[in-house]
């Protein structure tokens, strides 16, 4: 929570104030006749101290993983180790240019090559491309590969992609963008995709299924083996949404379960920063039959008469490039550092702790916040955030959590649970933090019973109250002066 008073005045420029003291001129003044000087820029006039405070205070108006618990379900807001940043900043990584001759950046290519290998190993895939810049772009890439595969087989009637109703919204969106038709499948009473519905939907128009395991209820798909078998049996392919790999990394491999293609979210599972919509990374892994369709360039290791070296190559039937150059290279460096630091055992331990933490929260909270699919969960779980009989809804609980110093869980997702709160603690949180969160949630439930208006009016302690969240995202106001001009 923000511990000091935030100035309410945003515009702090004072006429004549200056950030630097220049020495007196000791040369004759010369006119800048060739340049037309603008005098209407209205640049702010501030001291250095004013500027430093301004930006520091702005930074403190945000919640971040480094400032507090951030249980935003499905997003895996784990701590981003600072050593990742130090390594990404090494001059050999940070200052190399994408157009450099590959001979001069062999170390960078070696890193990409090893990361491709490691991700393939972690996911159980034949090959990986590091090109896509986000999970959603990985989905789109995977679907384009599936499309290319069927075109090559001459199988043009496969136009449908099956998607469970618990899926992330990007799944039907990428499906539609790639020219397929999304077919929604219901969930069963235990929170799995309904096996009978899969069976009925499978025919020779099915290009594949797009499935998240564990799914967005945080539950392991209990019939995943049979789902994969049914889809393969009708000639379809299995796309795995790998956003929830933080429950599986080091324990189970989707490739072994029969998945044909999957994206990894490096900014989730592999501790690269989410960066406010900034540089993400969503590499894709594929089974052998899709290998040649991967986007490139990929890095290969070759040995010939010129010696051994890393080279950039385009897979034979590549769908092409989906990012400029080599994807978000800086993120690849961070993920590499993370995997290298933890090793296979460490990754497994991280997944186990992520699952343990999430189960601890579910069991401690389920008497206060009903858990509709109350079985052992994976790295996250979904509860109902509404407090019956008080009019307090999940969103109100989330807003009140801000006053307690916690970032809210994911709200109203997945869509199949009404008043959903999706809670993902990650492995990087210690028990005292989890306990403090449990206490805050229980305190809010009490407040809801005794004084619902308090919860419904939250947040009370934040610089701004409730926002129109759609407008806030669509019509960002970056500058106070723009606002003043519009007023
Ligand atoms: C985060 C997420 C995505 C999309 O990944 P981005 O990297 O945000 O594009 C897709 N599916 C699930 C289940 C996710 O949690």
């Amino acid at each position: 929570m923000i511990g000091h008073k935030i100035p309410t005045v945003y515009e702090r420029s004072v006429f004549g104030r200056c950030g630097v003291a220049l020495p007196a001129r000791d040369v004759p003044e010369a006119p800048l006749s060739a340049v037309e000087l603008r005098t209407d820029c209205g640049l702010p006039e501030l001291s250095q101290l004013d500027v430093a405070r301004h930006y520091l205070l702005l930074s403190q108006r945000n919640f971040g993983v480094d400032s507090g618990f951030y249980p935003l379900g499905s997003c895996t807001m784990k701590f981003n180790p600072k050593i990742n940043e130090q390594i990404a900043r090494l001059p050999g990584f940070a200052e190399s240019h994408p157009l450099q001759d590959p001979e001069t950046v062999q170390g960078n290519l070696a890193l990409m090559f090893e990361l491709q290998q490691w991700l393939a190993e972690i996911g159980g895939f034949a090959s990986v491309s590091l090109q896509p810049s986000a999970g959603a772009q990985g989905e789109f890439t995977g679907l384009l590969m599936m499309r290319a595969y069927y075109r090559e087989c001459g199988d043009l009637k496969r136009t449908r992609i099956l998607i469970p109703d618990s899926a992330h919204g990007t799944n039907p969106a990428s499906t539609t963008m790639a020219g397929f038709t999304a077919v929604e499948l219901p969930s069963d009473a235990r929170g799995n995709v309904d096996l009978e519905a899969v069976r009925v939907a499978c025919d020779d128009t099915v290009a594949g299924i797009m499935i998240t395991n564990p799914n967005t209820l945080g539950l392991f798909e209990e019939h995943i083996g049979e789902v994969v078998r049914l889809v393969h049996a009708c000639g379809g392919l299995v796309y795995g949404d790998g956003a929830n790999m933080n429950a599986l990394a080091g324990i189970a491999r989707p490739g072994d379960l029969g998945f044909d293609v999957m994206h990894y979210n490096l900014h989730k599972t592999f501790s690269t920063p989410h960066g406010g919509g900034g540089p993400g990374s969503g590499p894709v892994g594929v089974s052998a039959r899709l290998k040649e369709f991967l986007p490139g360039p990929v890095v290969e290791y070759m040995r010939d008469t010129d010696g051994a070296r890393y080279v950039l190559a385009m897979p034979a039937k590549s769908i092409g490039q989906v990012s400029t150059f080599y994807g978000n290279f800086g993120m690849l460096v961070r993920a590499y550092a993370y995997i290298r630091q933890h090793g296979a055992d460490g990754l497994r331990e991280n997944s186990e702790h992520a699952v343990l933490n999430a189960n601890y929260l579910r069991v401690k909270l389920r008497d206060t916040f009903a858990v509709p699919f109350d079985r052992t969960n994976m790295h996250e779980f979904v509860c109902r955030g509404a407090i019956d009989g008080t009019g307090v809804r999940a969103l109100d609980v989330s807003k009140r959590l801000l006053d307690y110093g916690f970032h809210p869980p994911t709200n109203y997702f997945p869509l199949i649970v009404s008043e959903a709160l999706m809670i993902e603690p990650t492995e990087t949180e210690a028990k005292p933090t989890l306990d403090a969160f449990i206490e805050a949630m229980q305190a809010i439930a009490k407040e809801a019973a005794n004084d619902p208006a308090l919860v419904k009016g939250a947040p009370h302690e934040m610089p701004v109250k409730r926002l129109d969240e759609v407008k806030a995202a669509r019509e960002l106001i970056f500058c106070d002066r723009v606002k003043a001009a519009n007023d």
Side-chain angles (χ1 to χ4, degrees), residues 211-454:
I211 192 161
T212 314
N213 187 38
N215 63 31
T216 61
L217 292 163
L219 300 173
F220 195 89
E221 286 285 346
E222 292 171 304
H223 312 300
I224 190 67
E226 184 61 6
V227 169
V228 170
R229 200 193 62 75
L230 285 171
V231 173
H232 282 165
C234 81
L237 293 164
V238 177
Y239 183 96
D241 177 334
N244 290 344
M245 270 303 279
N246 210 44
L248 299 186
I251 301 174
R253 309 195 314 162
D256 295 342
L257 292 169
F259 287 35
D260 297 285
V261 43
M262 185 187 85
H263 72 260
Y264 307 76
N265 301 64
L266 299 191
H267 44 286
K268 295 180 181 172
T269 317
F270 300 100
S271 86
T272 72
H274 286 62
S281 185
V284 281
V286 289
S287 61
R289 61 174 153 168
L290 290 179
K291 188 174 167 196
E292 295 305 331
F293 297 97
L294 277 176
V298 292
V299 181
E300 287 174 0
Y301 183 66
M302 65 180 278
R303 196 188 290 274
D304 59 17
T305 46
D306 292 339
R309 65 198 181 282
Y310 295 97
V311 293
L312 292 161
M314 231 31 196
K317 300 165 197 162
S318 176
I319 58 160
Q321 227 171 317
V322 297
S323 273
T324 48
F325 302 111
Y326 318 115
N328 275 326
F329 179 69
M331 295 304 130
L332 308 180
V333 177
R334 289 168 174 84
Y336 177 94
Y338 180 79
I339 296 173
R340 183 105 204 210
Q341 188 188 354
H342 289 281
D345 293 345
L347 290 183
R348 183 186 178 99
E349 209 176 314
N350 290 348
S351 302
E352 287 170 351
H353 288 169
V355 171
L356 180 65
N357 280 357
N359 277 286
Y360 180 70
L361 287 185
R362 175 180 55 86
V363 171
K364 289 283 186 180
L365 285 172
R366 67 182 166 190
D367 293 338
T368 320
F369 294 90
V371 176
F373 300 96
D374 195 10
R375 61 172 163 104
T376 304
N377 53 271
M378 301 297 285
H379 66 310
E380 64 191 356
F381 71 101
V382 176
C383 65
R384 282 193 78 246
I387 316 273
D388 293 336
T390 66
V392 167
R393 301 188 55 198
L395 184 69
D396 305 317
V397 171
S398 281
K399 295 294 180 191
R400 185 62 178 147
L401 272 170
L402 292 167
D403 287 336
Y404 280 84
F406 295 108
H407 190 283
T410 295
N411 269 241
Y412 300 128
F413 176 74
L415 304 174
I416 54 172
V417 172
S418 78
E419 295 296 320
L421 286 182
M422 184 196 228
I423 303 178
E424 180 183 8
T426 84
E427 73 280 11
T428 59
E429 298 297 339
K431 185 164 174 289
T433 306
L434 304 182
D435 288 333
F437 177 72
I438 293 162
E439 264 171 44
M441 289 287 281
Q442 286 168 345
I444 293 169
K446 276 210 192 83
E447 288 173 349
N450 299 332
D451 184 5
L454 174 71

Side-chain angles (χ1 to χ4, degrees), residues 160 195-203:
R160 300 192 305 147
L195 194 56
E196 197 42 41
V198 178
R199 205 187 310 275
V200 170
C202 278
D203 61 22

